[in-house]
C-alpha cells in the first residue's frame, strides 16, 4: 500500500510539473484571467460605485468577493481547454499506455488550475488594496476565506474537466464557463438582493454564489458569518463531489 501511494504521488508530481510548465511558458493565460476581473473592479468602483447603494462606505470591500469568484470562473476555462487539447492530440491515450497511475494525468491538470487561480486571485487582491480595499480580519478568517476560494476553484475545475473531456471542439470546451461568469451578476455580488424583483431575488438568494459571497464578505469585514459559511461549504463540496464523479467517468472513456 505504501509503495502504491508513493508511486501515485510521484506520478502526480510529474503530471503537475508538466502542466505547470505549460502555464509558465504562457503566462499570458494568467494575465488574461486577471484583466477582465480587474477591469470590472475598476469600472464598478469608479464609474458605477457612486450610484449603487449597498449600505457601505467602501464599495470595493463589498465588490471584491464577487470579482474573485468571476476570476475563478474565467480561470478554470483554461483547464477545459488544456484537457481538450490533450484528448484531441491523443496525449491522454499515450499516457494510459505508460506504467503510471491513470488518474494522476487528470489530477495534474486540476492542481495546476488551483495554483494558477491562486496566483490570479493574489494579483487581483493586490490591485484591490491599491484601490482602497481594507480588511479588519485576522489570520483565521483569512485562512477561512482562502479555504472557501480553493474549494470553489476545485469544484469549478472538476466541472471544467467534464467540459474538456466531453467537448467536440475548442469552443465547446471553454463555452461552459460563460454561464458561470454570468452567475455572480444575479447574486448579492454587486448589489443587495433586496433591491431585485421578487422572482430574480428568489433565484439570487438560493444560488451558490450568494452564500459564498456573503460568507467571504462577512469574514473579511470581521462580521458574524452565520449560516452562510455552512451553506457555502455545502454548495462547494456538493458541486465538487458530483462533478468529480462525472469527470472521472468521462476520463475513463478516453481509453
Amino acid at each position: 500500500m505504501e509503495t502504491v501511494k508513493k508511486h501515485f504521488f510521484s506520478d502526480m508530481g510529474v503530471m503537475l510539473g508538466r502542466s505547470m510548465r505549460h502555464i509558465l511558458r504562457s503566462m499570458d493565460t494568467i494575465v488574461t484571467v486577471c484583466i477582465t476581473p480587474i477591469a470590472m473592479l475598476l469600472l464598478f468602483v469608479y464609474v458605477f460605485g457612486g450610484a449603487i447603494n449597498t449600505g457601505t462606505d467602501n464599495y470595493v470591500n463589498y465588490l471584491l468577493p464577487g470579482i474573485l469568484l468571476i476570476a475563478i470562473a474565467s480561470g478554470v476555462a483554461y483547464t477545459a481547454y488544456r484537457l481538450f487539447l490533450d484528448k484531441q492530440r491523443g496525449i491522454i491515450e499515450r499516457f494510459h499506455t505508460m506504467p503510471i497511475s491513470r488518474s494522476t494525468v487528470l489530477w495534474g491538470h486540476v492542481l495546476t488550475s488551483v495554483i494558477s487561480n491562486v496566483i490570479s486571485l493574489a494579483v487581483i487582491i493586490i490591485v484591490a488594496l491599491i484601490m482602497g480595499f481594507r480588511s479588519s480580519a485576522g489570520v483565521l478568517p483569512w485562512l477561512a476565506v482562502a479555504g472557501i476560494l480553493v474549494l470553489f476553484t476545485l469544484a469549478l475545475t472538476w466541472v471544467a474537466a467534464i467540459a474538456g473531456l466531453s467537448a467536440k471542439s475548442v469552443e465547446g470546451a471553454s463555452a461552459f464557463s460563460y454561464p458561470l461568469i454570468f452567475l455572480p451578476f444575479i447574486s448579492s455580488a454587486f448589489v443587495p438582493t433586496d433591491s431585485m424583483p421578487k422572482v430574480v431575488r428568489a433565484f439570487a438568494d438560493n444560488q451558490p454564489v450568494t452564500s459564498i459571497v456573503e460568507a467571504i464578505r462577512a469574514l473579511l469585514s470581521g462580521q458574524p458569518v452565520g449560516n452562510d459559511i455552512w451553506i457555502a461549504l455545502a454548495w462547494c463540496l456538493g458541486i465538487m463531489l458530483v462533478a468529480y464523479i462525472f469527470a472521472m467517468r468521462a476520463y475513463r472513456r478516453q481509453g
Side-chain angles (χ1 to χ4, degrees):
M1 182 64 72
E2 289 297 323
T3 304
V4 172
K5 287 182 180 179
K6 286 181 181 179
H7 280 302
F8 176 82
F9 287 111
S10 175
D11 294 342
M12 188 166 63
V14 173
M15 293 297 107
L16 174 60
R18 169 184 176 267
S19 295
M20 284 303 300
R21 281 193 293 274
H22 290 170
I23 294 290
L24 295 174
R25 288 170 185 167
S26 56
M27 288 297 289
D28 57 304
T29 57
I30 292 178
V31 173
T32 304
V33 169
C34 292
I35 285 176
T36 300
I38 289 174
M40 292 177 64
L41 194 62
L42 293 168
L43 178 67
F44 276 88
V45 171
Y46 293 127
V47 179
F48 302 137
I52 298 175
N53 181 18
T54 61
T56 61
D57 295 329
N58 192 343
Y59 186 53
V60 68
N61 281 17
Y62 186 92
L63 184 63
L64 182 60
I67 295 296
L68 295 177
L69 299 193
I70 289 174
I72 292 171
S74 300
V76 298
Y78 284 100
T79 302
Y81 171 73
R82 288 189 293 268
L83 268 171
F84 175 80
L85 290 184
D86 277 1
K87 179 189 76 170
Q88 188 184 48
R89 295 168 179 171
I91 294 174
I92 291 177
E93 291 182 357
R94 201 174 308 161
F95 278 133
H96 284 176
T97 64
M98 298 179 181
I100 61 173
S101 301
R102 289 167 63 96
S103 62
T104 56
V105 179
L106 190 54
W107 272 105
H109 284 284
V110 171
L111 294 179
T112 298
S113 173
V114 174
I115 294 170
S116 60
N117 273 290
V118 166
I119 295 171
S120 300
L121 296 180
V123 172
I124 294 168
I125 291 173
I126 290 171
V127 173
L129 286 168
I130 296 171
M131 294 173 61
F133 167 72
R134 297 295 180 266
S135 172
S136 59
V139 175
L140 289 179
W142 269 104
L143 288 175
V145 169
I148 293 171
L149 291 173
V150 168
L151 277 177
F152 187 70
T153 303
L154 281 170
L156 293 196
T157 300
W158 284 111
V159 174
I162 299 172
L165 293 168
S166 305
K168 304 299 182 184
S169 66
V170 173
E171 293 77 13
S174 56
F176 84 98
S177 65
Y178 300 150
L180 299 179
I181 294 171
F182 183 71
L183 205 56
F185 289 94
I186 316 176
S187 73
S188 63
F190 294 89
V191 295
T193 59
D194 55 15
S195 64
M196 301 176 182
K198 288 184 179 180
V199 175
V200 178
R201 180 181 179 181
F203 174 79
D205 285 339
N206 295 284
Q207 59 119 322
V209 170
T210 293
S211 58
I212 296 170
V213 162
E214 293 294 339
I216 293 174
R217 190 177 287 144
L219 287 166
L220 292 179
S221 62
Q223 300 297 319
V225 181
N227 291 327
D228 284 321
I229 190 168
W230 304 115
I231 298 172
L233 291 174
W235 273 113
C236 289
L237 291 172
I239 294 170
M240 184 169 62
L241 178 61
V242 173
Y244 171 81
I245 292 171
F246 282 96
M248 292 305 294
R249 287 181 180 177
Y251 181 64
R252 292 188 189 102
R253 287 199 295 269
Q254 304 306 313

